[in-house]
């Protein structure tokens, strides 16, 4: 064995301890053993380095070599990221398949982005111009949907030379930047360490909603572009479907989907459905704006820990180009469990429920990488990252550490509810427990862009739902028949809101996406119905008479009506309601 | 490393052996342990350092000592030798025959710790499996390549249901090579006999492989048994193109064995003393279900677990539910009412149902009927608990209908015979029949065209005609 390499002295699951690793620094990437498994140094004590290995360590023995690459764990950033599907450490899964077949073998390496493909580079800066970090010098059309701007890497500034348009692969030099310190060659791609966030000039307040087409979200618990959402829920409550719906329909430019310790078949579902789905605006396949990171539950646990960082770094790169990026992390609990597992193997002193004491810090560091921001560049440009993190609390009990630490740092909370799910009320977002701290800030936007009535309709809706919860308790005591007619009407309208508005089928071609206009019209017709009923009751009409009117049926069919036909349908419905209810004669 | 016999055991603790002066055992390496009386045991390296190997023993530790017991490192990880001769045979947890038959002679040895299936290679499961049980086919549809566990409790008839599924499961319109692999972990000899007799009496044994670890057998073998079973399943599915149904019973015993080892290793315990890596460990079992694009066969898993104290939030069902694609939950209430199979549809779920149903697969109205049954039954059950407080008299007229519906649903739709094999059309028609007791205006989950096509409301039909 040559003197430059370290030597393994202990192997215990994904944790390997080695002696005399050359120039060992924290978070250096190393190659472990004869198979050359990828690992990362996570602790140094004297001449001993503790390494977390991103692949299964079966068959590795003490005395095998450890080689230090002396580079931190990094991702490759450049054209070709979109439409890719990666494992937790940015190895493209389709290339791994070509190399090792249907099962993932160990010790494989593959270039993260295609190095042979030639891209049409269009220069937008001229030779001799002065450029600094973050400036655009040109672009390539990465997919039909996304123009990929080539930026001056961080830490580089000077005079541009040798830039020209043409066909290049990601490793070829497209320009040189000359400064006093020397020359820097610029390529279409650059590397960035995943554990270091890419800085921005300043963070801006989030003031535009991320429109998701999901009624309960957009209307009641909206998230701003650049915001953070926690989606906790027990299994079977529909976390993954919510995440899928958002990555399909949210109006962000780029979607990064991190499947972190979840099911293999779910990733397959994304892979088969996304290429067939079309972007509602451009008609192009949604896959063209998507990067997938799939580290399923049975793939190595250390790579699961890394997958979240790989995802957020890619998101930051596109934000720096000025795009609105949505990052879905499903599920952060699995990531936290990976931390716990590694921490246990390191024999660290455990904190709550065996999680390491630094769990809260790591979670807040991650969510802090979101935001609406002015990015670093000599021209003014903004971009945003919205993070939607699913949490899988054991037994659905959100008092556990991962949920609690997540709720401390996120501003929107969609509480998924097992009892709603069991009666097939989807999305099973509980309207009483959920909240959005952006609601107030975004109300202005809604009032200006959808309807001036928005705010009123919103408060009426929440008021009715709240009232329903109180009345339900009374019903438990005295029975429904004992309620006054007015209160029966509140229950009736609340039921309409729940069943005819909040419930939305992700699997129905029409209902899967609902525009803000349609949402507003649907809700306003239900609220109008409530008003008309209340007036009629004052005239002495009874609830049983009101329940017989024909337009109720039309309210329950609103979901099935196409966007294009909806305005007509809505106007017809409003007129019908008015006429039918005012036509009822009171019994007094 | 040369094949040496080490007699340098320094400590024996539960199922763990600490062997000193071992220069470099491989992680997960297989070892052979020879006891003073000449008997041998198999084991596996759990932790290896320069000069020390910690070995986990499969089998009884009675009779082991630190002086004369010797340990041989075999230089390879655990494998199983596989062949299609295994069909019709019974093995123990280490894949040794226990049916007095000849040993399996085969050149094919495969590692039992399978690599993860590349998500890119997976094929989306979409072939409907008809089990003949209404609550499963109609409301929690099973598809090929799915992992759908049964969450049961002690004293509930999960074995009968598993046997009924194994007997009746078929893919409509296809006649393909189909086999059952049954992995029993820590079950009683009575339960084991039930399955063996069941498989023999129906002739299913010839297309089955049984792995048996009884409750009196060493608990450490329970750790390795599901991996033996699944490696065999993978061989038959992906090399021989067969469609395999793997039934694993009882995962609770498996998890308890895992906890036993973890505590012997003095690891930091997680919830209820189970190790922090139990999620990852269980996923390496459950995620081996699936279909691969380039291969013909498939692996469908039905793991069975008994929830301690009927508590679905216990870590065993909880972590399982987060990995599997749904769950079938049995209810003691229904069992008391004499309903078989006592499947409580409300907490039950099949995540892959949508892929397997609808036009061309089952029937166009399937989704709507299932959703409508769900919401009506949930409503009926709520009213049942309400009427227990305020009395049935205080309920409105339509509420009374829902109350009656919930009873009918349990009695007619859920309840069926042990030998009754209902077709999917039969199940859906039955659903329409009991829904017809409710007001047609409440049928919000069903499309209008299906209401007229399949609905059994007299007025509705009259109105149309």
């Amino acid at each position: 064995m040559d003197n430059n390499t370290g030597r393994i002295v202990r192997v215990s699951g994904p944790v390997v301890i080695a002696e005399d690793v050359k120039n060992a620094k924290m978070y250096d990437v190393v190659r472990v053993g004869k198979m050359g498994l990828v690992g990362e140094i996570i602790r140094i004590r004297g001449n001993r380095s503790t390494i977390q290995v991103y692949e299964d360590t079966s068959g590795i023995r003490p005395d095998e070599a450890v080689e230090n690459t002396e580079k931190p764990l990094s991702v490759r950033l450049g054209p070709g990221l979109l439409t890719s599907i990666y494992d937790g450490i940015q190895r493209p899964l389709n290339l791994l398949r070509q190399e090792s077949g249907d099962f993932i073998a160990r010790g494989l390496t593959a270039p993260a982005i295609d190095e042979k493909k030639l891209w049409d580079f269009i220069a937008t800066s001229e030779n001799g111009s002065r450029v600094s970090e973050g400036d655009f010098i040109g672009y390539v059309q990465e997919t039909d949907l996304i123009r990929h701007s080539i930026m001056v890497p961080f830490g580089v500034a000077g005079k541009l030379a040798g830039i020209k348009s043409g066909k290049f692969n990601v490793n070829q030099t497209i320009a040189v930047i000359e400064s006093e310190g020397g020359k820097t060659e610029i390529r279409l791609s650059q590397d960035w360490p995943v554990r270091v966030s890419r800085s921005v000039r300043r963070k801006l307040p989030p003031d535009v909603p991320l429109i998701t087409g999901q009624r309960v979200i957009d209307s009641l618990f909206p998230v701003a572009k650049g915001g953070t959402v926690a989606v906790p829920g027990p299994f079977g409550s529909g976390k993954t479907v919510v995440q899928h719906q958002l990555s399909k329909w949210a109006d962000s430019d780029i979607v990064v989907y991190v499947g972190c310790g979840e099911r293999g078949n779910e990733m397959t579902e994304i892979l088969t459905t996304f290429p067939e789905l079309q972007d509602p605006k451009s008609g192009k396949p949604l896959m063209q704006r998507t990067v997938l990171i799939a580290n399923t539950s049975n793939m190595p646990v250390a790579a699961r820990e890394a997958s979240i960082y790989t995802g957020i770094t890619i998101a930051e790169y596109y934000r720096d180009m000025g795009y609105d990026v949505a990052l879905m992390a499903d599920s952060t609990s699995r990531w936290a469990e990976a931390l716990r597992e590694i921490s246990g193997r390191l024999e660290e002193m455990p904190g709550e429920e065996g999680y390491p004491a630094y769990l809260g810090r790591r979670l807040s560091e991650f969510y802090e990488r979101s935001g609406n921001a002015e990015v670093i560049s000599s021209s003014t440009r903004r971009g945003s990252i919205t993070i939607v993190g699913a949490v899988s609390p054991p037994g659905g009990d959100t008092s556990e550490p991962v949920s609690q630490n997540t709720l401390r740092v996120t501003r929107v909370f969609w509480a998924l509810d097992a009892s709603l799910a069991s009666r097939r009320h989807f999305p099973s977002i509980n309207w009483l427990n959920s909240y959005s701290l952006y609601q107030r800030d975004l109300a202005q936007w809604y009032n200006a862009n959808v309807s001036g009535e928005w705010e009123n309709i919103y408060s009426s809706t929440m008021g009715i739902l709240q009232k329903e919860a109180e009345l339900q308790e009374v019903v438990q005591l005295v029975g429904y028949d004992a309620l006054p007619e007015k209160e029966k009407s509140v229950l009736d309208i609340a039921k309409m809101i729940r069943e005819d508005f909040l419930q939305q089928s992700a699997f129905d071609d029409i209902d899967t996406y609902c525009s803000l206009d349609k949402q507003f019209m649907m809700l306003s017709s239900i609220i109008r119905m409530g008003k008309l009923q209340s007036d009629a009751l004052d005239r002495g009409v009874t609830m049983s008479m009101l329940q017989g009117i024909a337009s109720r049926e039309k309210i329950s069919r609103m979901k099935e009506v196409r966007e294009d036909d909806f305005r007509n349908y809505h106007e017809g419905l409003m007129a019908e309601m008015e006429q039918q209810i005012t036509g009822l004669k009171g019994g007094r | 490393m040369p094949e040496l016999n080490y007699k340098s055991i320094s400590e024996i603790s539960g199922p763990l052996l600490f062997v000193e002066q071992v220069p470099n055992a491989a992680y997960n390496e297989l070892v052979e342990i020879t006891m003073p009386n000449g008997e041998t045991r198999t084991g596996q390296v759990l932790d290896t350092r320069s000069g020390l190997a910690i070995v986990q023993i499969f089998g009884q530790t009675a009779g082991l000592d630190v002086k004369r017991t010797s340990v041989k490192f075999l230089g390879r990880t655990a494998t199983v030798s596989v062949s299609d001769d295994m069909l019709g045979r019974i093995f123990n947890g280490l894949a040794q025959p226990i049916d007095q038959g000849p040993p399996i002679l085969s050149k094919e040895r495969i590692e039992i710790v399978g690599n993860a299936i590349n998500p890119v290679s997976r094929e989306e499961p979409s072939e409907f499996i008809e089990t003949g049980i209404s609550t499963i086919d109609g409301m929690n549809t099973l598809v090929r390549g799915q992992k759908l566990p049964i969450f049961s409790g002690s004293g509930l008839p999960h074995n009968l249901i598993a046997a009924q599924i194994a007997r009746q499961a078929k893919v409509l319109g296809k006649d393909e090579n189909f086999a059952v692999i049954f992995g029993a972990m820590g079950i009683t000899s009575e339960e084991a006999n039930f399955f063996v007799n069941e498989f023999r009496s129906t002739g299913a044994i010839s297309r089955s492989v049984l792995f048996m670890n009884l409750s009196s057998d060493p608990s450490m073998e329970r750790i390795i048994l599901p991996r033996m079973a699944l490696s065999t399943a993978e061989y038959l599915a992906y090399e021989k193109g067969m469609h395999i149904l793997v039934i694993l019973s009882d995962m609770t015993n498996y998890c308890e064995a895992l906890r036993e080892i973890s505590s012997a290793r003095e690891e930091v315990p997680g919830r209820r003393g189970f190790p922090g890596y139990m999620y990852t460990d269980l996923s390496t079992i459950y995620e081996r279900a699936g279909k691969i694009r380039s291969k013909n066969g498939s692996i469908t898993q039905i793991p069975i677990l008994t929830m301690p104290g009927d508590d679905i939030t216990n870590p065993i069902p909880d972590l399982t539910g987060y990995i599997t694609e749904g769950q079938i939950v049995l209810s003691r209430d229904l069992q008391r009412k004499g309903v078989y199979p006592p499947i409580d549809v409300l907490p039950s779920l099949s995540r892959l149902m949508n892929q397997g149903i609808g036009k061309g697969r089952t029937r166009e109205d399937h989704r709507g009927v299932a959703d409508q049954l769900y919401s009506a039954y949930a409503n009926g059950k709520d009213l049942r608990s309400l009427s227990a407080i305020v009395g049935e008299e205080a309920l409105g007229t339509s509420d009374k209908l829902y109350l009656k519906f919930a009873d009918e649903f349990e009695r007619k739709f859920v309840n069926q015979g042990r030998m009754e094999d209902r077709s999917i059309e039969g199940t859906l028609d039955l659903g329409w029949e009991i829904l017809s007791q409710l007001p047609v205006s409440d049928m919000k989950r069903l499309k209008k065209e299906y209401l007229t096509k399949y609905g059994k409301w007299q007025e509705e039909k009259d109105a149309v005609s």
Side-chain angles (χ1 to χ4, degrees), chain B residues 120-136:
Chain B
V120 177
S121 300
R122 280 184 185 266
E123 184 180 318
E124 196 176 22
S126 63
E127 286 166 289
F128 164 65
I129 299 181
E130 191 182 86
T131 64
I133 296 174
S134 288
T135 36
I136 298 180

Side-chain angles (χ1 to χ4, degrees), chain A residues 11 40 56 67 125 128 143 145 195 211 223 243 247 264 290 301 304 343 366 388 415 434 511 529 555-556 581:
Chain A
V11 186
E40 190 181 13
D56 180 27
E67 245 169 290
S125 291
T143 64
L145 285 175
R195 294 184 195 280
I211 298 163
V223 53
Q243 297 258 22
S247 32
T290 310
V301 67
R304 193 195 302 166
S343 164
F366 167 68
V388 182
S434 305
D511 204 24
M529 179 69 125
I555 286 196
S556 67
I581 295 181

Side-chain angles (χ1 to χ4, degrees), chain A residues 10-11 58-59 261 393 423-424, chain B residues 27-28 47-48 279 322 374 382:
Chain A
R10 179 177 177 190
V11 186
S58 290
R423 61 185 57 216
R424 298 306 187 258
Chain B
Y27 180 66
N28 270 347
D47 191 335
T48 167
Y279 178 82
Y322 275 122
Y374 261 112
D382 279 354

